[in-house]
Amino acid sequence: MSRAWLEGRLEGVEPRAELNLLRATLVTALGRGDDITRLVHSVCKLDPVAGGELLVGPRALAHPAAIRAALGVVGALEEVTPVSGLYRRLADLAPDAIADVLHTAIARHGDTDWVWRLAGREEPPGTTPLGLLGARDPELAAHRALDHEYVQAVVDRAGSGDEHALRAIYTRAPREALFVAVATTLDRGADVPIVAWIAALHGPDIDPLFAAVARGLRTQEGRERLLGQADGLPGTLATLRTR
């Protein structure tokens, strides 16, 4: 019986009446490393309420493979479970699958406040929505991340050479975060005119700022990159040459 069920053949089965047997089949299958996708799809097609009970109810299985199978039938699960609560429950059941949960939530529900709150569970908080939503609207995504105080995620994105994230940090984050973001950009080797970018935001008096950045650089490559852009910044050049 369990093999037929795993293949999605549930002819004559009433999922709510057989919920305990279905759960036991999942437990055994997951223990063996079997694919449970077809069984999960068939249950949710026959009876979404039973599928919701099986996958996100009080006795749902806290297993990453079960959560990933559930993400394949979220359309059915959303019919019987409040949407934000559904994704929170999936994340509760399998914290290691938070990135998968967030990818699905963002694909279906976009830039909703509860998605950003859910992203507080990942490390650094906010990384996934910042990356996915930032591909569509980088300026808005950076500010939304900062709305939720996900400074490290924005710093990391700025450090990859993202001007929108850098601008958001300059505008809204503590100065120390800006120093870290600029230093990270240089140390990682992003091929961007970082001095010109900051000058456009800050005005011409940027020598003290970049001298502080120079003190925070961790690599020789980063120091050399700043050296190549630091003409007219005597304090910065002096700091670089003493390190």
Side-chain angles (χ1 to χ4, degrees), residues 48-53 75-82:
V49 172
E53 180 67 21
L77 296 178
E78 286 181 6
E79 293 177 6
V80 297
T81 308

Side-chain angles (χ1 to χ4, degrees), residues 2-77:
S2 62
R3 177 53 57 185
W5 285 7
L6 283 175
E7 292 172 355
R9 292 187 280 119
L10 299 180
E11 295 83 358
V13 175
E14 295 183 13
R16 292 188 214 187
E18 302 287 5
L19 205 57
N20 286 336
L21 281 175
L22 287 165
R23 185 177 290 110
T25 299
L26 287 182
V27 170
T28 300
L30 291 169
R32 292 194 304 239
D34 290 341
D35 183 6
I36 63 170
T37 304
R38 286 174 291 181
L39 171 56
V40 166
H41 276 257
S42 292
V43 171
C44 288
K45 184 176 180 180
L46 272 177
D47 188 337
V49 172
E53 180 67 21
L54 188 65
L55 295 167
V56 294
R59 296 180 60 199
L61 302 177
H63 193 292
I67 299 320
R68 293 186 178 100
L71 290 172
V73 292
V74 286
L77 296 178

Side-chain angles (χ1 to χ4, degrees), residues 1-219:
M1 180 187 296
S2 62
R3 177 53 57 185
W5 285 7
L6 283 175
E7 292 172 355
R9 292 187 280 119
L10 299 180
E11 295 83 358
V13 175
E14 295 183 13
R16 292 188 214 187
E18 302 287 5
L19 205 57
N20 286 336
L21 281 175
L22 287 165
R23 185 177 290 110
T25 299
L26 287 182
V27 170
T28 300
L30 291 169
R32 292 194 304 239
D34 290 341
D35 183 6
I36 63 170
T37 304
R38 286 174 291 181
L39 171 56
V40 166
H41 276 257
S42 292
V43 171
C44 288
K45 184 176 180 180
L46 272 177
D47 188 337
V49 172
E53 180 67 21
L54 188 65
L55 295 167
V56 294
R59 296 180 60 199
L61 302 177
H63 193 292
I67 299 320
R68 293 186 178 100
L71 290 172
V73 292
V74 286
L77 296 178
E78 286 181 6
E79 293 177 6
V80 297
T81 308
V83 171
S84 62
L86 167 63
Y87 290 93
R88 284 198 306 271
R89 176 61 172 156
L90 292 170
D92 287 342
L93 288 166
D96 290 346
I98 183 63
D100 297 300
V101 174
L102 284 168
H103 272 75
T104 302
I106 292 165
R108 294 180 64 84
H109 302 287
D111 183 35
T112 51
D113 198 58
W114 64 263
V115 166
W116 283 100
R117 292 197 304 272
L118 185 62
R121 302 188 185 198
E122 64 179 337
E123 188 59 41
T127 298
T128 297
L130 179 59
L132 294 179
L133 297 169
R136 308 173 201 169
D137 190 335
E139 192 86 30
L140 176 61
H143 282 279
R144 290 284 281 147
L146 291 177
D147 287 343
H148 290 270
E149 301 184 354
Y150 299 154
V151 176
Q152 185 58 55
V154 185
V155 167
D156 287 347
R157 189 165 180 86
S160 69
D162 187 305
E163 185 178 6
H164 302 281
L166 186 70
R167 189 158 53 236
I169 289 169
Y170 178 85
T171 303
R172 298 184 53 187
R175 274 293 173 262
E176 184 57 36
L178 177 67
F179 297 153
V180 173
V182 174
T184 302
T185 303
L186 292 160
D187 280 333
R188 287 184 182 173
D191 186 18
V192 296
I194 191 71
V195 172
W197 283 358
I198 296 299
L201 293 168
H202 191 74
D205 186 23
I206 56 173
D207 195 16
L209 189 155
F210 275 98
V213 169
R215 288 190 288 272
L217 291 171
R218 297 184 177 183
T219 68

